[in-house]
Amino acid sequence: MVQSYLRHGPTEAFGLVCSSSSNSQYDGKLAYVPALEDVLVWDVKKGQMLAMWHETGHRAEVTSILRSPQKDVFAVGYADGSIRLWSASSTSVIATFNGHKKAVTALAFDETGTRLASGSQDTDLILWDVVGESGLYRLRGHRDQITAIRFVRPAAQSAPSTSAGTTPGYLLTSSKDTFLKIWDLQTQHCIQTVVAHRSEVWTMDLNPEHDLVFTGSGEGELKAWRIDHEALARGLGETETGEVTKFVLPVTTLPLASSHRVAQITFHPHQPYLAVQSHDKSVEVFRIRTEEEVKKKQARRRRRAKEKELEKKGKKKGDDAEADVQVDAKHDENSVELADLFTPYLIVRASGKIRSFDFGDEEASGKGNTHLFVALSTNALEVYSIPPPTKAKDAAPEATRIFSVDLPGHRTDVRTLCLSSDDALLASASNGSLKIWNMKTTACIRTMDCGYAICSTFLPGDRQVAVGTKSGEILIYDIASSSLVNTIQAHSATVWSIHVRPDEQGLVSGSADQDVKFWEFERKPANSDNPRSANLLTLVHVRTLKMTDDVLSVRISPNGKLLAVALLDSTVKVFYHDTLKFFLSLYGHKLPVLSMDISGDSKLIVTCSADKNVKIWGLDFGDCHKSIFAHDESVMQVAFERNDTREGDTKASHYFWTVGKDKLLKYWDGDKFENIQKLEGHHGEVWALAVSHHGKFVVTGSHDKSIRVWEKLDEPLFLEEERERELEAIYETGIADSLNNTDAAIGSGAPDAHPGAADTGGAETTAVTKQTTETLMAGERIMEALELADTELETFREYEDARAKGGLAEGVAPPPRNPTLAAYDVSPEEYVLRVVERVQSTALYDALLVLPFGKVVSLMRYLNHWAQKEWNIVLTSRIIFFLLKTHHHQIVANRVMRTALIPLRRNLREGLRRQKDTIGYNLAALRFIQRQTDAKRTAEFYEEEEDLTEEKVREKIAEGKKRKRVSIKA
């Protein structure tokens, strides 16, 4: 019989406040931050996580977050090139856009939130229609990763436009190829390219008036540019000198306090502030002064200079001095420089390296203070308050930290994990802190300071945790009081491993000072006055075993007879535990053994090493049963699965777990030497592993600062099926990738682009398509539906023909319906429509591209039927338009299609006309209702005062025009 195993599956990751993969957004109360593959919503004041936006099965990291002008919608870009629109209120995905081949690095919404522009590492810029959920076009021209995008709204046209539609506007993009480009969205072309800096342009922002652009470079330069709106309104042309008109003109360079890379520039949406981050740990805030302020200040300065000069000359201040000052003022009237408008105001210094920052909404912050939200690379969030400018000369303004969220996660890598004996608590330690987590709620319940932790274990009784540090100390913490109760200077170098004896009377520690030390527990009451108080354990050193090399790992076998010690010389030495006599030497690894574990029946020992191999040895003779190439990088930890002790006499498990620097967790069968399951989830090397004492789950901790729990499910797993599944996945991604590698010239996918690839030209504007496994499967489903419906219609047609010719007797029953159609009780045409409607609108075009031309011809017949019956006219029109555009050449060359297209044209026009009439009627009705309510409200407004003369009414009306009225748009 084929052996089956139980599958393990991921549950939520915890220990993350925010990851440094993406920027963050803040609205004055809530912060929307990336957490590897999820987005977390934090209430920064309470330090509470309100929501986690997680899509099951999606593993790519979040690389960009942007809030739409329609406040509930967020666009989130991922490392696999996909963009998802999330609804904040329902925490669900509204639409998924696939178009980029690499990580999405920049996003921008237009003012209404109906169009979204996205830029990526693959150098492409794509415009998406948010309402129609489709890609409009792809713009190509940059030669490297796009770093920022902004929509430029055209200055209000004075002449009324003849077309009813809005003007498409302009788009401004910056990239690591040092260019700043401006694109005209009407013609879909780049109309000007500016070499903005000598090195990469890392960031860009537009001021709220849309006439100034600031760019920041990798060399710490901050430049200002002016957008010439009049030239934009005139369009491309020639100047008197015969040059092409320039739309973006250089103005000046602003001085910054530091010359590091300018990582982010942000204008405050409605306060006169500009914030620039160029240093790792600080944000400079500039105040934008009005021209009057600058002129006053200049006049004051001149007056002061004059006074000083007069004092020097010893003259009394006379009328001639006054006249001089006035002359000077006239002389300097027009010389307000841009650099004078932006004055350094204050510097916000954060407690760690800043990943991104954002301004909060004013309404929320109150007291005239402005909130600056900062997301740190060290897994923490902070909010600073910037005071409004005061008239007082003495005190320089200072930013104060008002909120911070840092307790629910470690600042640095999680280096070690251990579980309490009942699996209720988890201890995790990193360089600087030890945290205790409740495994049921995954809440952090205790945080204690510690040194650089390397290994840890719960002590018997689960009241204390022992931590081995890099400096050679063993620290003992009491969980209840969350305090350090004992510091033992155990070794003179790093404590690499500690292991509690199976009889729970002591523990053994191994260190880089070449000693293995044995310790016994001594129990003493926590409170000497109260004999009933809980016992605290302390360690008493009993004996030492000196080794020839650094000790990397120690283990005592569960029967207490043997002690295994892994050394830096890549061998493992096994001793008798009681007499410390030498028993076996296990050699075979090419690099040091980093961790090992002994099975519950003390028969097997499994060792994992930096040479990427795992070896399984028998403990009776020290023979190597099997050497397995387990991971693509060093294998960091290994542990046997524990059996559920509550299930009585079950045989000790020989299944074990390994984690490696290749970000994977793997589950193995130690008797058959098979890999049972490979679990992906972490985004950084996995340092730590802890296995449940009841065999219910396993916990891993990683360089990405997240802690993940993998639970055992009731679902059986068969090795054959698992291998087939893996091969299929590789094959499917291969197909999609090969389909996507078409016309790839301009900038050819940047970061690793081939040097010759960028010169071969290529279209500047192309369609937005990207095949994924989902679109391929959707295409296959449509093809299957078409085949099923075609055969069904064909069989019935044959039956009808035979009856008409009289070849069939009267009593012959019609052929049976297709079981699928009979089950849904639909006609073949309806069934095809159902299948097409089920395809997500974002994936529809890509799915239609999969259809061969024969199927397209057959789909046209169904489209005709749908148009005639007026089923889902919008979808029908979209499909027809797309198919005609795509297959234009074949359709023109092929006479077959005429028969289908002519009736289709007639039916579609009819259907669309009726739809248009309905919409027109409804619009007229809505406008009528609007006019009524306006009239009613205006009437109410004036009825309050009775005796009005005509002049007064006129005045009132004029006033009413000044008053702000809320207009309701239909």
Side-chain angles (χ1 to χ4, degrees):
M1 182 166 155
V2 182
Q3 178 162 11
S4 74
Y5 304 87
L6 285 178
R7 185 183 293 285
H8 285 74
T11 59
E12 65 178 295
F14 58 96
L16 277 170
V17 179
C18 71
S19 61
S20 59
S21 58
S22 153
N23 65 315
S24 307
Q25 295 270 310
Y26 177 64
D27 66 3
K29 182 166 181 278
L30 305 181
Y32 302 86
V33 300
L36 302 175
E37 68 269 36
D38 305 327
V39 175
L40 304 183
V41 183
W42 289 97
D43 182 329
V44 281
K45 195 171 181 180
K46 296 180 183 157
Q48 243 180 6
M49 190 209 298
L50 300 182
M52 175 194 252
W53 301 351
H54 175 80
E55 184 166 8
T56 328
H58 186 246
R59 286 195 49 255
E61 272 184 292
V62 173
T63 53
S64 185
I65 301 177
L66 181 66
R67 187 172 202 170
S68 158
Q70 297 159 355
K71 296 288 184 223
D72 184 46
V73 179
F74 283 78
V76 180
Y78 294 86
D80 60 356
S82 63
I83 301 166
R84 283 169 175 66
L85 291 181
W86 288 87
S87 155
S89 53
S90 66
T91 66
S92 60
V93 179
I94 306 168
T96 305
F97 296 137
N98 277 308
H100 292 293
K101 298 181 181 63
K102 294 206 174 94
V104 177
T105 51
L107 293 168
F109 277 104
D110 67 353
E111 288 188 297
T112 52
T114 50
R115 286 179 302 172
L116 169 70
S118 63
S120 154
Q121 269 181 6
D122 63 10
T123 74
D124 289 351
L125 176 69
I126 297 183
L127 226 78
W128 306 92
D129 176 355
V130 175
V131 183
E133 294 186 5
S134 62
L136 298 173
Y137 43 86
R138 180 193 305 262
L139 298 169
R140 307 161 69 204
H142 279 294
R143 297 270 187 263
D144 205 338
Q145 169 184 329
I146 292 175
T147 51
I149 305 174
R150 292 287 179 275
F151 276 91
V152 181
R153 66 163 179 268
Q157 275 96 2
S158 45
S161 68
T162 46
S163 66
T166 53
T167 49
Y170 302 92
L171 206 56
L172 203 60
T173 59
S174 68
S175 158
K176 278 166 67 171
D177 59 9
T178 74
F179 295 151
L180 178 69
K181 282 177 179 276
I182 185 160
W183 307 79
D184 182 346
L185 298 183
Q186 195 146 19
T187 57
Q188 298 167 22
H189 281 294
C190 172
I191 52 176
Q192 190 187 346
T193 300
V194 186
V195 180
H197 292 269
R198 285 197 301 280
S199 60
E200 296 111 330
V201 185
W202 276 104
T203 173
M204 175 220 7
D205 199 16
L206 265 172
N207 68 344
E209 291 75 46
H210 283 238
D211 55 0
L212 276 180
V213 182
F214 278 65
T215 56
S217 81
E219 291 174 349
E221 268 189 313
L222 175 63
K223 282 192 184 175
W225 309 81
R226 191 166 58 78
I227 296 180
D228 189 343
H229 277 288
E230 289 167 7
L232 277 179
R234 286 198 304 273
L236 271 176
E238 284 187 359
T239 54
E240 290 82 53
T241 55
E243 289 181 349
V244 179
T245 35
K246 299 264 191 290
F247 305 106
V248 178
L249 308 166
V251 182
T252 180
T253 304
L254 287 184
L256 284 177
S258 66
S259 61
H260 297 272
R261 177 182 95 164
V262 181
Q264 190 182 343
I265 301 174
T266 304
F267 278 91
H268 193 290
H270 28 252
Q271 297 285 87
Y273 292 118
L274 163 72
V276 178
Q277 182 213 335
S278 73
H279 188 263
D280 274 354
K281 291 191 171 184
S282 63
V283 175
E284 278 179 76
V285 179
F286 290 85
R287 197 162 69 79
I288 308 170
R289 298 190 293 191
T290 56
E291 296 208 2
E292 288 84 59
E293 265 183 90
V294 177
K295 281 177 185 159
K296 270 186 203 161
K297 194 142 198 178
Q298 283 176 346
R300 245 200 329 263
R301 252 187 219 146
R302 278 194 301 279
R303 202 174 299 131
R304 224 173 277 143
K306 267 281 185 297
E307 281 169 15
K308 277 185 185 160
E309 268 177 45
L310 294 176
E311 276 166 25
K312 268 184 197 162
K313 289 176 187 167
K315 272 197 326 185
K316 65 179 191 299
K317 289 185 224 167
D319 303 324
D320 52 345
E322 288 287 315
D324 277 358
V325 170
Q326 279 172 353
V327 170
D328 266 16
K330 279 205 182 73
H331 171 73
D332 257 324
E333 190 68 34
N334 299 328
S335 65
V336 176
E337 291 288 314
L338 185 80
D340 300 334
L341 295 176
F342 292 86
T343 58
Y345 182 54
L346 55 79
I347 291 182
V348 176
R349 291 191 169 80
S351 60
K353 192 177 167 195
I354 296 173
R355 170 57 178 87
S356 75
F357 65 87
D358 194 13
F359 281 112
D361 272 354
E362 284 329 284
E363 297 79 59
S365 51
K367 274 192 288 190
N369 286 4
T370 301
H371 283 186
L372 183 78
F373 164 82
V374 180
L376 306 179
S377 297
T378 53
N379 198 21
L381 311 173
E382 297 179 334
V383 178
Y384 289 84
S385 174
I386 299 172
T390 53
K391 291 276 183 285
K393 289 276 174 290
D394 46 346
E398 285 249 320
T400 48
R401 184 167 82 182
I402 46 175
F403 309 125
S404 80
V405 182
D406 56 2
L407 283 181
H410 286 283
R411 301 287 76 75
T412 50
D413 299 11
V414 179
R415 282 306 296 259
T416 168
L417 296 169
C418 57
L419 282 159
S420 61
S421 58
D422 57 358
D423 290 344
L425 298 178
L426 170 76
S428 67
S430 66
N431 178 6
S433 65
L434 165 72
K435 290 184 183 285
I436 309 291
W437 307 83
N438 175 345
M439 283 304 290
K440 254 204 182 74
T441 60
T442 66
C444 177
I445 51 178
R446 295 277 188 278
T447 298
M448 296 159 260
D449 291 334
C450 71
Y452 198 132
I454 296 292
C455 53
S456 62
T457 176
F458 270 89
L459 298 182
D462 291 341
R463 304 183 77 86
Q464 287 152 289
V465 177
V467 176
T469 66
K470 202 167 188 169
S471 52
E473 296 165 332
I474 294 180
L475 310 173
I476 295 182
Y477 291 89
D478 178 50
I479 294 175
S481 62
S482 65
S483 57
L484 174 63
V485 286
N486 206 344
T487 302
I488 298 136
Q489 193 56 54
H491 294 273
S492 57
T494 309
V495 181
W496 281 114
S497 177
I498 50 180
H499 191 216
V500 176
R501 277 176 20 199
D503 60 2
E504 300 194 340
Q505 295 309 306
L507 60 81
V508 55
S509 65
S511 154
D513 62 5
Q514 309 191 351
D515 286 354
V516 176
K517 292 194 176 176
F518 296 83
W519 309 80
E520 289 201 337
F521 296 134
E522 192 177 83
R523 294 169 201 276
K524 61 171 189 196
N527 181 348
S528 48
D529 310 336
N530 176 8
R532 283 247 177 85
S533 73
N535 281 344
L536 288 182
L537 298 180
T538 56
L539 298 184
V540 182
H541 182 208
V542 231
R543 52 184 178 169
T544 304
L545 175 63
K546 290 246 184 266
M547 305 301 295
T548 54
D549 223 326
D550 293 16
V551 176
L552 295 181
S553 178
V554 288
R555 275 283 175 276
I556 301 173
S557 64
N559 60 12
K561 288 186 179 158
L562 301 173
L563 165 77
V565 181
L567 300 180
L568 194 61
D569 64 5
S570 311
T571 63
V572 175
K573 305 269 191 276
V574 184
F575 300 87
Y576 289 106
H577 183 220
D578 44 3
T579 59
L580 295 190
K581 279 222 175 78
F582 176 75
F583 173 45
L584 293 169
S585 174
L586 313 176
Y587 55 88
H589 280 292
K590 294 185 178 56
L591 289 170
V593 171
L594 300 177
S595 165
M596 53 189 182
D597 199 18
I598 300 174
S599 66
D601 52 10
S602 304
K603 296 254 176 68
L604 294 182
I605 179 169
V606 55
T607 58
C608 69
S609 151
D611 63 12
K612 309 176 190 174
N613 286 304
V614 166
K615 289 185 192 286
I616 303 162
W617 318 75
L619 263 183
D620 353 0
F621 310 109
D623 53 328
C624 178
H625 291 184
K626 183 77 174 169
S627 178
I628 305 170
F629 178 73
H631 289 262
D632 295 335
E633 298 282 336
S634 302
V635 190
M636 297 311 295
Q637 291 236 312
V638 60
F640 273 103
E641 186 176 62
R642 314 273 173 76
N643 275 25
D644 197 337
T645 41
R646 296 167 294 189
E647 283 176 8
D649 325 322
T650 45
K651 200 163 103 276
S653 167
H654 282 185
Y655 302 159
F656 62 91
W657 293 93
T658 59
V659 293
K661 280 192 173 177
D662 60 357
K663 311 175 189 177
L664 296 179
L665 163 71
K666 294 190 179 184
Y667 186 32
W668 306 84
D669 181 340
D671 293 328
K672 292 210 167 80
F673 319 125
E674 290 274 11
N675 176 9
I676 303 170
Q677 210 181 344
K678 183 168 83 180
L679 295 160
E680 304 175 63
H682 280 292
H683 295 267
E685 49 265 36
V686 188
W687 290 111
L689 168 72
V691 178
S692 144
H693 292 274
H694 302 315
K696 292 277 177 275
F697 58 85
V698 47
V699 191
T700 53
S702 155
H703 169 72
D704 63 20
K705 304 184 186 66
S706 71
I707 301 171
R708 288 168 196 264
V709 181
W710 312 82
E711 283 190 343
K712 184 178 275 188
L713 312 170
D714 294 334
E715 187 187 334
L717 173 151
F718 299 98
L719 294 181
E720 298 284 310
E721 284 179 16
E722 199 62 14
R723 292 302 89 82
E724 271 174 28
R725 220 212 223 110
E726 281 168 23
L727 286 172
E728 254 171 42
I730 294 170
Y731 174 66
E732 278 173 359
T733 49
I735 290 185
D737 288 349
S738 64
L739 282 171
N740 289 327
N741 280 346
T742 48
D743 57 303
I746 300 180
S748 272
D752 45 3
H754 180 65
D759 314 329
T760 50
E764 193 175 33
T765 312
T766 57
V768 183
T769 61
K770 183 186 178 189
Q771 294 295 354
T772 59
T773 39
E774 286 77 41
T775 58
L776 292 176
M777 281 161 65
E780 283 171 11
R781 281 201 298 276
I782 296 176
M783 282 196 272
E784 282 166 13
L786 287 170
E787 272 170 23
L788 188 147
D790 283 350
T791 44
E792 180 78 349
L793 289 172
E794 192 52 40
T795 43
F796 272 90
R797 194 176 301 115
E798 281 172 7
Y799 169 74
E800 292 299 332
D801 287 354
R803 278 193 60 176
K805 284 179 188 154
L808 284 178
E810 281 297 308
V812 175
R817 286 175 71 186
N818 183 301
T820 319
L821 298 177
Y824 285 122
D825 192 27
V826 288
S827 68
E829 293 88 356
E830 256 180 293
Y831 176 68
V832 177
L833 179 62
R834 270 196 187 187
V835 172
V836 176
E837 278 177 334
R838 274 202 213 110
V839 178
Q840 281 185 332
S841 59
T842 45
L844 180 64
Y845 289 163
D846 288 326
L848 292 173
L849 281 177
V850 178
L851 303 184
F853 189 64
K855 289 278 174 278
V856 173
V857 177
S858 130
L859 180 59
M860 282 291 189
R861 290 193 212 104
Y862 293 102
L863 288 167
N864 183 19
H865 189 91
W866 302 342
Q868 205 174 341
K869 291 264 206 266
E870 285 191 39
W871 289 339
N872 202 336
I873 278 287
V874 181
L875 180 72
T876 309
S877 317
R878 269 183 68 189
I879 295 175
I880 290 172
F881 184 63
F882 178 75
L883 289 178
L884 291 178
K885 207 165 58 174
T886 314
H887 299 285
H888 179 252
H889 295 306
Q890 284 121 305
I891 291 173
V892 171
N894 192 338
R895 297 300 295 269
V896 181
M897 298 296 288
R898 281 182 66 92
T899 48
L901 284 174
I902 290 165
L904 177 62
R905 182 176 64 185
R906 192 179 60 244
N907 293 332
L908 195 61
R909 275 186 184 164
E910 278 294 303
L912 285 171
R913 204 196 72 241
R914 278 197 287 276
Q915 290 253 332
K916 193 176 157 193
D917 291 349
T918 314
I919 290 172
Y921 181 81
N922 290 341
L923 264 175
L926 284 168
R927 284 199 192 108
F928 173 68
I929 293 168
Q930 186 186 0
R931 281 197 299 277
Q932 266 190 322
T933 49
D934 279 0
K936 192 173 162 202
R937 283 168 71 180
T938 321
E940 276 174 11
F941 218 56
Y942 297 134
E943 272 168 8
E944 289 161 14
E945 295 177 27
E946 300 304 317
D947 48 348
L948 292 178
T949 61
E950 200 168 316
E951 289 86 45
K952 276 188 182 172
V953 172
R954 289 251 161 78
E955 276 170 29
K956 280 277 185 187
I957 289 173
E959 255 178 52
K961 278 179 187 159
K962 283 179 206 161
R963 280 217 178 93
K964 253 199 172 162
R965 253 202 236 116
V966 182
S967 62
I968 298 168
K969 285 198 176 70

